Amino acid sequence: MTATPIEVGTAARVEVVLPEPANRELTPLLAEFATAPTSRPFSPEALDFCADLARTLARRARHLPEVQALAFWMRRAEVTRLAEAFAAREDDATLLVPQGTVFHVPPSNVDTLFVYSWLLAVLTGNRTVVRLSRRSSEASELLLDVLRDRLGEHPRVRDSTLMLSYGHEQSITDALSAACDLRVIWGGDGTVDAIRRSPLPPHATDVTFADRSSLAVIKAGAYAALTEEARDRLVVDFFNDAYWFDQLGCSSPRAVVWVGDEVQCAAAGADFFPRLQAQAVRKGYAVDAASAVAKLGFGYRAAVDQQITGYEFHGSALTVLSVAQFPAIGGEFCGAGTFFQYRTAELLDVVAGIGRRDQTLTHHGFDRAELRELAVALNGRGIDRMVPFGQALSFSHLWDGRDLLQTFTRRVTIGAAR
Amino acid sequence: MLDELLTRPQFSIPQEEKEALLLPRLGELVEHHRDACAGYRRILDALPDGPGRGLSDLPYLPVSMFKSHLLQSIPDDEVFKVMTSSGTTGQAVSRVVLDRTTADLQARALAAVMTTVLGPRRLPMLIVDTPNVVRDRRTFSARGAGVLGMLSFGRHHTYVLDDDMAIDVGALERFAERFSGQPVLVFGFTFMVWKYFHQQIQRRGLDVDLSGAVLIHSGGWKKLQDEAVGNAEFRAGLERSTGLRRIHNFYGMVEQVGGVFLEGPDGYLHPPNFSDVIIRDPVTWAEAPDGQVGVIEVLSTLPRSYPGHVLLTEDLGVVHGAGSPVTGWAGKKLEVIGRIPRAELRGCSDTHAYASAS
């Protein structure tokens, strides 16, 4: 299971961030790391480490909601549930084993994602190499600080973890790729293209997370039936889905599709967006000048390329572009509070507009049978997850249509003689 | 027949009168482009109807539109040339479609602006750049285009730098000897004038007398910000090293060629008769009051072949009231702060990080 690191011609050096900060020559570092042991998936050490990390983060990051969400996701009860679900996949004839060395390339601008990706690989018993972005934020600094501190108490996890920082030198990516059994590339199309230039060993595979886009559907009749308070609650959920990562998370909705008759949908939209604007103001959501100009440019380009029937500027945090055709939401996007608004008579009408890039459908007012009917009609055309308002950004090991616990492990079948 | 905005002396029209002259002309251009340019029409159709009373109510296009879309208001067979903006490899460039009429108008307008400080005759011209900046077409740059655009205002073009950005002392001496005591034109990009001309003259202790010269420079202060050199230091420094006192910065862009803003003796940039400026608050997009920093919108009556008559730039600036016609520098007093700082956005896609690194 040990992959041999290839020689790096220029004796390249990297900054080791974790477990201990050091400037190291890459080749001996990788040779050393390849001897670190792997673990049984969901080992007691890994579970303890998660629980410990969750407690510490919950305490130290009270002011950072995205870190709180991360801590909640890895708390003991949750990880134990994950362990049980995992155990159910094994039986006398099936053993799940780690892939070996997993090389993660997380995105530079969702501060918490590297921890999710890394922890799932740790839980499944792998050695993990993480390429950290040089860009730092309060959340990422705090995360690294807490990790450094907690890893000291969990030698088994510490020895199988390597977090590195380097620029975009391909020779280093080449060496890390050649030394892994599984490469996990987040960061969208550009990063996937760049990292794929580095070959993998023949047995290894890539897990790629391409650029994705997401949308929300609301049954106008259900919205009309809500009380004032319930509408405000729905808007708060929607605000969190959309604005948490400046509307640039792949799961953040870019469009609101109203389902119902024309009068009902128009009334619902006219009620919903002013509430959203008020929520943005309450939360003090600020748009800087560059984003404001980018939003303007995006709206104007959309007006040329799509049939915009209404361009509503609800202050700097919210622009609503009403469209007569199903909106094209893929591709470059300005974020920071720009929504297409579209009306359709039936939920199933959206099928024709959905494409492979579409990831998350946040919904309100539809029951499971209706959503299932939509999923059947889509049949893989697009949409990997359907979640109620407020859960767009809730990370799960089921992501982009993949089960990461399965991806991070291999299945050994044990056939005994009868 | 030329418009009175072009024939009257530039920078001579009081702001109020100028706005009254600009409004019907720009209003007519809005209608012209609405009729002639489908993309522009679609934008106007989508936008809510404004009150439509003053210059600030005219619809504006973000300049980035010219990077993503070819917007033209003329049939294909009337296209005379398509100008492109500078841009590093991989970045989108602006494309601006010109017909003969608009190109002619731009040339006349630029001449009208420049002759206010240069006089009607072509002056002996010193170019603070290397001759190769216009020679090698394969590496033709914004700098090359800028130099080329200015060449027609001078004669005896003398390039003062070699390819290593060292001052060609021989060329400088021959130029000084030949045109001693005569008015001359010096042109260069702001940072090059400072870094490779002024600083080198000081370092090498060269004796340069340009007290009778006019310096025209452009390109922005970004590269000088690190050295904390602003307009005041720039002017004082050049006077010390070369005796230059008549110094005019200008502000212009490929999307509005001809409508260049020229720096007056007050140190502010003034729009010529046929141009104007509005500062917008990026939070509300309403016109910002004098003295408040905002996004610069530029207006010009020149663009007929493309809808570039009212543009929202990606620059920050401040208007400090209007100048007085008595001084010869009427029109609003603009201070350009620089490019809007790039947004620090979050999100899942790293495209830009890799695009800029590779």
Side-chain angles (χ1 to χ4, degrees), chain A residues 66 107-111 135 168 187 191 194 211 244 246 248 250 290-292 296 300-301 303-306 311 313 316, chain B residues 39 42-43 46-48 60-62 64-65 68-69 282-285 312 340-341 343-350 354 357:
Chain A
E66 65 266 47
S108 63
N109 42 9
V110 176
D111 313 313
R135 188 185 137 122
H168 292 280
T191 306
D211 287 341
W244 207 344
D246 292 323
L248 289 170
C250 44
S291 299
L296 205 66
Y300 282 35
R301 278 192 290 281
V304 179
D305 297 333
Q306 307 192 38
Y311 181 110
F313 180 73
S316 73
Chain B
R42 297 185 74 150
I43 292 169
L47 293 177
Y60 47 87
L61 292 192
S64 67
M65 286 303 299
S68 55
H69 291 80
V283 175
T284 61
W285 292 123
L312 190 75
I340 299 170
E344 281 286 324
L345 287 171
R346 313 217 273 176
C348 293
S349 177
D350 278 341
Y354 277 90

Side-chain angles (χ1 to χ4, degrees), chain B residues 42-267:
Chain B
R42 297 185 74 150
I43 292 169
L44 260 47
D45 286 350
L47 293 177
D49 290 327
R53 280 189 294 267
L55 289 179
S56 67
D57 299 318
L58 295 171
Y60 47 87
L61 292 192
V63 274
S64 67
M65 286 303 299
F66 294 95
K67 288 184 177 159
S68 55
H69 291 80
L70 190 70
L71 295 171
Q72 67 180 57
S73 304
I74 46 170
D76 285 344
D77 59 5
E78 283 175 28
V79 174
F80 168 57
K81 67 177 169 189
V82 180
M83 287 196 303
T84 53
S85 64
S86 59
T88 44
T89 321
Q91 270 189 327
V93 295
S94 284
R95 289 168 302 160
V96 176
V97 178
L98 299 182
D99 61 359
R100 270 194 183 282
T101 316
T102 301
D104 279 353
L105 220 48
Q106 288 178 344
R108 280 176 203 274
L110 186 62
V113 172
M114 289 302 169
T115 51
T116 47
V117 292
L118 298 179
R121 288 185 308 122
R122 289 173 156 225
L123 301 178
M125 181 173 181
L126 207 56
I127 299 138
V128 184
D129 217 313
T130 142
N132 283 328
V133 74
V134 291
R135 209 171 277 157
D136 191 349
R137 295 288 168 149
R138 282 167 309 168
T139 59
F140 204 65
S141 59
R143 238 171 69 206
V147 170
L148 214 56
M150 283 300 293
L151 286 183
S152 61
F153 299 107
R155 63 190 163 91
H156 293 287
H157 304 126
T158 303
Y159 293 84
V160 80
L161 300 180
D162 64 20
D163 280 348
D164 300 322
M165 299 297 148
I167 291 181
D168 181 345
V169 179
L172 189 59
E173 276 172 357
R174 282 192 299 280
F175 185 87
E177 215 163 281
R178 178 157 179 196
F179 302 110
S180 135
Q182 295 181 39
V184 299
L185 161 63
V186 184
F187 173 75
F189 283 82
T190 309
F191 86 97
M192 296 194 57
V193 169
W194 183 259
K195 229 175 156 52
Y196 303 120
F197 196 56
H198 162 77
Q199 285 189 340
Q200 208 175 148
I201 288 169
Q202 287 207 314
R203 202 173 51 244
R204 293 170 63 177
L206 301 177
D207 180 21
V208 180
D209 180 11
L210 289 169
S211 52
V214 180
L215 169 65
I216 306 277
H217 69 104
S218 179
W221 300 94
K222 196 169 168 241
K223 287 183 178 163
L224 292 182
Q225 262 163 15
D226 303 339
E227 307 182 24
V229 175
N231 199 18
E233 292 80 8
F234 184 87
R235 296 179 75 104
L238 273 149
E239 182 167 2
R240 269 200 314 278
S241 60
T242 66
L244 262 166
R245 273 189 312 274
R246 295 170 60 200
I247 296 175
H248 301 277
N249 186 8
F250 77 77
Y251 175 68
M253 60 205 72
V254 72
E255 294 85 358
Q256 248 182 36
V257 168
V260 294
F261 290 37
L262 204 58
E263 179 188 2
D266 54 7

Side-chain angles (χ1 to χ4, degrees), chain A residues 361-384:
Chain A
L361 187 84
T362 41
H363 56 79
H364 177 79
F366 300 97
D367 60 27
R368 191 181 296 274
E370 291 171 289
L371 296 168
R372 200 178 168 81
E373 190 188 11
L374 173 62
V376 168
L378 284 166
N379 198 34
R381 196 186 162 91
I383 301 295
D384 302 318

Side-chain angles (χ1 to χ4, degrees), chain A residues 138-205:
Chain A
E138 192 192 350
S140 63
E141 290 297 315
L142 181 124
L143 283 168
L144 290 172
D145 193 45
V146 170
L147 282 176
R148 194 171 295 129
D149 176 46
R150 289 297 90 203
L151 279 173
E153 306 294 318
H154 302 269
R156 184 88 185 193
V157 179
R158 181 194 61 208
D159 293 347
S160 57
T161 291
L162 198 52
M163 297 202 186
L164 308 170
S165 167
Y166 62 96
H168 292 280
E169 297 99 319
Q170 205 196 325
S171 63
I172 297 177
T173 306
D174 284 350
L176 296 174
S177 299
C180 77
D181 302 286
L182 179 72
R183 187 168 60 182
V184 186
I185 314 173
W186 301 85
D189 295 2
T191 306
V192 171
D193 283 348
I195 299 295
R196 269 192 176 158
R197 283 175 220 146
S198 300
L200 286 173
H203 72 275
T205 45

